[in-house]
């Protein structure tokens, strides 16, 4: 850890952010349909959706409950799914969001992202894009469950990386099958001109719950941390970071620009496919939903609820009860609490220790 970093100062910042409770990112799960069948999908999306696509006017109505004076600079609506590009009205949705003075972005698997689609979405004001690449060809297609998707993903990445008007990053789910390929993946992305690469691991939920290939053990997790650390020390044109999953002990500030903080319910909310109001879409939607846009005013819910996200004292149980770093971790990311919430599913801090 950077010995000069002042943790007390970071706690003051975190407390200030929590008290301010300013909404910066709003995820919209605009579809549960997906053209792929990913092994790690937490939502268990498929071509045959369990829920119909939410009508655009329903979501826009929820968006309109936010007073214009409360829209901060940089406020962004993130379209996610499923695969958002299965909706034929994405361009119109983007224009409607921009008309309201808000930015918008998208999370996509890249399969349908070609030059024509790129031009349409940039024209509709899309300001940011995230595309997933989960290994070299065999491993990526093993993860995504569809032959031929690797080349389409590389095509999409190349198109997006060349667009100077776009804040673009690639995300990679690191697992037992691809952890040995990180250097090779880095070379591929560098060759495509990627400037931002974000790596993450999977917690045991959804399809990944019973898949041992998805879970890194302690030595593998530290191997991932050391890889990211080395790439950040090397510098270069690509910024390599670890995601905001959890507290990382001595690796904090070495694998991220800023220390860990779970912004779910603090600065981030979501509207799910069935109208439920939550924080990040990966969080247990049954346990932590705060309301529903079909019966509640979205902005009022944001202002008056989300108490479990702002006060994490309830997480002092199980292995977190007597943890010496609880004041820095606060029980890990909210997506690590599922079901009965009696204990955290994954402790990233423990995986960073040599005895893990």
């Amino acid at each position: 850890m950077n010995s000069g970093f002042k943790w007390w100062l970071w706690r003051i910042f975190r407390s200030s952010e929590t008290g301010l409770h300013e909404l910066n990112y709003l995820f919209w799960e605009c579809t549960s349909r997906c053209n792929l069948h990913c092994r790690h999908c937490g939502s268990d999306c498929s071509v045959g959706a369990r829920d119909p696509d939410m009508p655009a006017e329903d979501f826009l109505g929820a968006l309109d409950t936010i007073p214009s004076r409360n829209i901060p600079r940089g406020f962004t609506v993130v379209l996610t799914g499923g695969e958002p590009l299965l909706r034929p009205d994405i361009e119109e949705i983007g224009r409607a969001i921009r008309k309201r003075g808000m930015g918008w972005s998208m999370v996509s698997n890249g399969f349908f992202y070609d030059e024509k689609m790129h031009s349409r979405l940039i024209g509709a004001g899309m300001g940011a894009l995230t595309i997933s690449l989960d290994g070299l060809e065999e491993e990526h297609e093993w993860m995504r469950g569809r032959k031929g998707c690797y080349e389409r993903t590389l095509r999409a990445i190349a198109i997006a990386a060349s667009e100077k008007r776009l804040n673009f990053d690639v995300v990679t789910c690191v697992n037992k099958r691809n952890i040995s390929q990180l250097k090779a993946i880095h070379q591929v992305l560098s060759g495509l001109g990627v400037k931002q690469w974000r790596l993450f691991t999977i917690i045991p939920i959804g399809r990944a719950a019973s898949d041992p290939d998805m879970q890194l053990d302690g030595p593998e997790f530290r191997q991932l941390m050391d890889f990211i650390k080395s790439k950040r020390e090397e510098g270069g044109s690509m910024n390599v970071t670890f995601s905001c999953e959890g507290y990382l002990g001595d690796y904090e500030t070495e694998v991220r620009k800023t220390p860990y903080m779970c912004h779910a319910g603090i600065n981030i909310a979501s509207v799910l496919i069935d109208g439920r109001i939550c924080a990040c879409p990966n969080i247990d939607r049954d346990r932590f939903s705060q309301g529903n846009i079909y019966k509640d005013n979205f902005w009022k819910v944001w202002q008056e609820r989300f108490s479990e996200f702002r006060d994490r004292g309830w997480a002092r149980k199980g292995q977190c009860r007597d943890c010496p770093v609880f004041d820095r971790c606060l029980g890990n990311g909210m997506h690590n609490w599922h079901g009965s919430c009696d204990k955290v599913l994954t402790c990233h801090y423990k995986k960073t220790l040599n005895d893990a």
Side-chain angles (χ1 to χ4, degrees):
M1 183 192 305
N2 182 349
S3 59
F5 188 81
K6 302 294 191 297
W7 278 103
W8 61 268
L9 187 61
W10 179 254
R11 285 196 290 270
I12 292 174
F13 169 79
R14 185 180 64 192
S15 178
S16 175
E17 285 289 283
T18 302
L20 184 61
H21 191 49
E22 181 179 77
L23 182 61
N24 299 128
Y25 289 91
L26 176 59
F27 285 87
W28 177 28
E29 189 182 43
C30 63
T31 182
S32 61
R33 293 180 295 137
C34 190
N35 57 305
L36 305 183
H37 190 79
C38 303
R39 300 177 69 92
H40 63 309
C41 183
S43 302
D44 200 23
C45 296
S46 62
V47 174
R50 65 183 183 278
D51 294 293
D53 292 356
M54 179 184 290
E57 58 268 23
D58 294 358
F59 173 73
L60 294 172
L63 207 57
D64 287 338
T65 66
I66 307 175
S68 58
R69 66 180 180 277
N70 293 109
I71 301 174
R73 182 180 178 86
F75 177 86
T76 301
V77 175
V78 184
L79 306 183
T80 185
E83 171 51 49
L85 291 181
L86 284 172
R87 290 189 63 129
D89 57 350
I90 288 294
E91 183 180 354
E92 291 76 14
I93 291 169
R95 292 185 186 279
I97 293 170
R98 289 293 298 165
K99 187 177 180 180
R100 287 162 169 78
M102 304 171 179
W104 72 278
S105 67
M106 184 175 66
V107 179
S108 173
N109 60 43
F111 192 87
F112 299 112
Y113 201 90
D114 56 15
E115 290 281 5
K116 183 178 180 180
M117 179 63 71
H118 175 74
S119 178
R120 287 173 53 197
L121 298 183
I122 291 295
M126 183 176 71
L129 174 67
T130 295
I131 293 177
S132 299
L133 181 70
D134 294 312
L136 302 181
E137 184 171 8
E138 181 179 347
E139 283 68 29
H140 179 78
E141 295 185 354
W142 167 82
M143 173 74 90
R144 295 285 160 175
R146 183 163 179 172
K147 291 290 185 181
C149 66
Y150 178 75
E151 289 300 328
R152 282 177 174 254
T153 301
L154 293 188
R155 176 193 66 184
I157 291 172
I159 294 169
S162 66
E163 178 56 70
K164 290 181 169 44
R165 293 170 291 179
L166 193 62
N167 183 3
F168 172 62
D169 73 339
V170 172
V171 295
T172 296
C173 169
V174 183
N175 55 73
K176 290 183 180 296
R177 288 274 298 254
N178 67 10
I179 191 168
S180 64
Q181 299 181 339
L182 295 179
K183 289 183 179 179
I185 298 170
H186 183 276
Q187 290 179 336
V188 169
L189 295 179
S190 180
L192 294 173
V194 172
K195 303 301 183 186
Q196 302 283 339
W197 185 27
R198 182 162 39 99
L199 298 102
F200 70 102
T201 59
I202 285 293
I203 60 171
I205 62 172
R207 294 178 191 156
S210 58
D211 191 340
D213 284 331
M214 290 294 101
Q215 309 302 319
L216 300 183
D217 59 26
E220 290 167 333
F221 189 79
R222 292 191 293 276
Q223 178 185 342
L224 170 60
M225 295 298 102
D226 290 336
F227 170 79
I228 298 173
K229 178 182 175 182
S230 68
K231 288 303 176 185
R232 294 181 66 80
E233 289 174 345
E234 289 173 10
S237 60
M238 189 189 307
N239 182 31
V240 183
T241 63
F242 187 61
S243 67
C244 57
E245 291 178 47
Y247 175 68
L248 301 172
D250 288 345
Y251 286 105
E252 285 293 338
T253 72
E254 293 183 333
V255 296
R256 302 183 181 115
K257 184 178 180 180
T258 58
Y260 162 74
M261 175 181 172
C262 181
H263 290 270
I266 306 299
N267 308 110
I268 298 172
S270 64
V271 173
L272 304 180
I273 190 67
D274 58 1
R276 279 185 284 186
I277 302 167
C278 197
C280 291
N282 288 330
I283 291 172
D284 190 327
R285 55 190 67 199
D286 293 323
R287 173 67 177 85
F288 291 111
S289 291
Q290 304 295 304
N292 193 298
I293 66 167
Y294 290 112
K295 63 178 181 180
D296 300 304
N297 178 289
F298 170 80
W299 181 243
K300 189 174 182 181
V301 169
W302 174 255
Q303 289 181 300
E304 298 179 357
R305 302 182 193 177
F306 288 89
S307 61
E308 293 168 298
F309 296 82
R310 289 184 275 178
D311 182 356
R312 297 287 297 275
W314 57 266
R316 276 194 177 273
K317 51 187 167 184
Q319 66 186 25
C320 299
R321 182 183 300 278
D322 301 312
C323 180
V325 297
F326 183 86
D327 62 331
R328 298 180 181 180
C329 178
L330 299 182
N332 220 339
M334 287 289 290
H335 65 296
N336 277 279
W337 293 85
H338 273 252
S340 64
C341 291
D342 288 334
K343 63 178 182 178
V344 68
L345 290 178
T346 301
C347 176
H348 294 82
Y349 171 67
K350 184 177 180 180
K351 286 188 174 184
T352 67
L353 304 178
N354 287 327
D355 57 353

